[in-house]
C-alpha cells in the first residue's frame, strides 16, 4: 500500500428514531443529535402507528419517545414496542414530572427518562447511555428510586407513596385526559377502550384520590394538567 494513500475509516452510526408530536422540538433534537459523528436520525413521526411502522422498517438502535402523542400515549407505544421489538432501546423525552413518570416508563420497557428542561447535551448522554445497555435517569431521581425501594423493603409495603403514585398507568392517562377536558366518549376513542371501562377507571381514580364527586375530580385533574405545563 502506498504510504501516501489516505485510509478512510468508516464510522458506523447508531440510528435514532424520533417520536415527538411537536415539529419544532423534533427539529431541535435532530440538530443536536446529528452534530454527533456516531449518531444519525433514521426517521421521525408524531404518532404511534407510524412510530411502530418505522421501528419495523428502519430498525433503529434507539427510539426517543415523548409521552404525549397525537393519537396515543407514549406509554402505549413503549409497551407495544417492548413486545414487538425486544432489542430496541427506548428513551423518553418529556415535559412531565420525572418523579411520577420515570419509574412508570422503566416498568413499561424504556431504559431512561429525560425532561425537556435539561441541557441538550444530556439528550446525547442519555442516548449513549442506553446504547451501552444502561439505565439513564437524573441523579436526583436515582436517589428517590433507591430510597423508595429501601423503604418498601424495610416496611414490607408501599404505604409511603403519595396519592398520585397510587394510580395505575392507565388511570393516570385517563386522569390527564379528564384534565384536558375530554369527555368519556373521546377518552374511550383515544385509548381504544369502551366508555364503560373509562367510567370504571374514573370511579377508581375518585376513590384513590379521595374525590367526593365528579366535579371535584375534574377540578383536581385540571389543576394537575396545569401544574405539569408550568
Amino acid at each position: 500500500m502506498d504510504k501516501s494513500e489516505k485510509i478512510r475509516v468508516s464510522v458506523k452510526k447508531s440510528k435514532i428514531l424520533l417520536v415527538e408530536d411537536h415539529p419544532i422540538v423534533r427539529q431541535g433534537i435532530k440538530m443536536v443529535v446529528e452534530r454527533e459523528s456516531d449518531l444519525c436520525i433514521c426517521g421521525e413521526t408524531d404518532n404511534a402507528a407510524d412510530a411502530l411502522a418505522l421501528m419495523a422498517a428502519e430498525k433503529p438502535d434507539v427510539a426517543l419517545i415523548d409521552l404525549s402523542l397525537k393519537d396515543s400515549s407514549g406509554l402505549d407505544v413503549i409497551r407495544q414496542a417492548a413486545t414487538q421489538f425486544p432489542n430496541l432501546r427506548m428513551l423518553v423525552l418529556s415535559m412531565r414530572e420525572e418523579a411520577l413518570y420515570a419509574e412508570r416508563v422503566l416498568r413499561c420497557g424504556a431504559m431512561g427518562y429525560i425532561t425537556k428542561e435539561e441541557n441538550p447535551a444530556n439528550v446525547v448522554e442519555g442516548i449513549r447511555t442506553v446504547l451501552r445497555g444502561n439505565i439513564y435517569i437524573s441523579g436526583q431521581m436515582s436517589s428517590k428510586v433507591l430510597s423508595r425501594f429501601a423503604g418498601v423493603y424495610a416496611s414490607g409495603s408501599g404505604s409511603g407513596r403519595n396519592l398520585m403514585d397510587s394510580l395505575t398507568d392507565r388511570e393516570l392517562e385517563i386522569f390527564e385526559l379528564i384534565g384536558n377536558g375530554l369527555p368519556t366518549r373521546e377518552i374511550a376513542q383515544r385509548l381504544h377502550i369502551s366508555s364503560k371501562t373509562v367510567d370504571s377507571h374514573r370511579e377508581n381514580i375518585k376513590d384513590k384520590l379521595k374525590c367526593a364527586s365528579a366535579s371535584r375530580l375534574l377540578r383536581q385533574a385540571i389543576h394537575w394538567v396545569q401544574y405539569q405545563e408550568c
Side-chain angles (χ1 to χ4, degrees):
M1 182 184 293
D2 188 345
K3 292 182 180 180
S4 64
E5 182 180 352
K6 294 184 179 180
I7 302 175
R8 295 184 179 179
V9 179
S10 178
V11 177
K12 182 182 178 182
K13 295 188 176 185
S14 296
K15 299 193 294 183
I16 315 301
L17 172 66
L18 297 182
V19 186
E20 159 66 54
D21 68 339
H22 290 94
I24 292 177
V25 176
R26 286 203 307 272
Q27 185 62 28
I29 297 170
K30 190 172 181 179
M31 291 175 61
V32 169
V33 170
E34 294 197 329
R35 283 202 300 258
E36 306 300 315
S37 61
D38 58 333
L39 304 175
C40 68
I41 301 298
C42 67
E44 56 183 278
T45 182
D46 61 3
N47 66 82
D50 287 347
L52 293 170
L54 284 168
M55 289 172 187
E58 299 294 335
K59 295 178 172 57
D61 298 292
V62 173
L64 196 58
I65 303 171
D66 191 3
L67 291 180
S68 299
L69 302 175
K70 283 193 171 181
D71 62 343
S72 181
S73 160
L75 287 174
D76 284 339
V77 174
I78 293 168
R79 290 190 198 98
Q80 292 179 64
T83 300
Q84 297 179 35
F85 312 103
N87 295 323
L88 175 63
R89 288 162 181 173
M90 294 176 281
L91 179 64
V92 168
L93 180 64
S94 178
M95 290 187 65
R96 299 183 183 178
E97 186 183 359
E98 183 187 28
L100 183 59
Y101 284 92
E103 290 182 66
R104 293 175 187 271
V105 303
L106 295 178
R107 287 198 302 266
C108 288
M111 294 182 66
Y113 194 100
I114 301 174
T115 67
K116 290 180 180 178
E117 296 177 347
E118 291 193 39
N119 190 297
N122 291 353
V123 175
V124 174
E125 181 186 353
I127 291 171
R128 292 205 170 108
T129 297
V130 300
L131 278 170
R132 293 193 297 268
N134 298 322
I135 299 295
Y136 184 89
I137 53 178
S138 71
Q140 183 181 11
M141 190 62 214
S142 296
S143 298
K144 288 181 179 179
V145 171
L146 290 173
S147 296
R148 176 169 296 176
F149 281 129
V152 169
Y153 179 78
S155 66
S157 70
S159 59
R161 297 184 306 171
N162 63 41
L163 294 179
M164 290 301 297
D165 282 337
S166 71
L167 299 183
T168 66
D169 294 340
R170 179 63 84 194
E171 287 166 354
L172 183 58
E173 290 172 347
I174 290 173
F175 183 65
E176 290 189 342
L177 292 174
I178 292 171
N180 280 312
L182 272 67
T184 295
R185 179 176 294 181
E186 288 186 32
I187 293 174
Q189 291 174 346
R190 183 182 178 98
L191 298 180
H192 310 292
I193 58 179
S194 70
S195 295
K196 185 176 179 180
T197 300
V198 173
D199 287 336
S200 178
H201 282 305
R202 277 180 178 268
E203 291 304 312
N204 290 337
I205 296 167
K206 280 172 58 181
D207 290 342
K208 290 181 178 181
L209 300 186
K210 304 185 186 306
C211 294
S213 65
S215 59
R216 176 66 182 273
L217 175 63
L218 176 60
R219 288 197 301 272
Q220 192 162 333
I222 291 171
H223 288 325
W224 170 253
V225 169
Q226 291 174 339
Y227 168 74
Q228 291 296 303
E229 293 175 348
C230 290

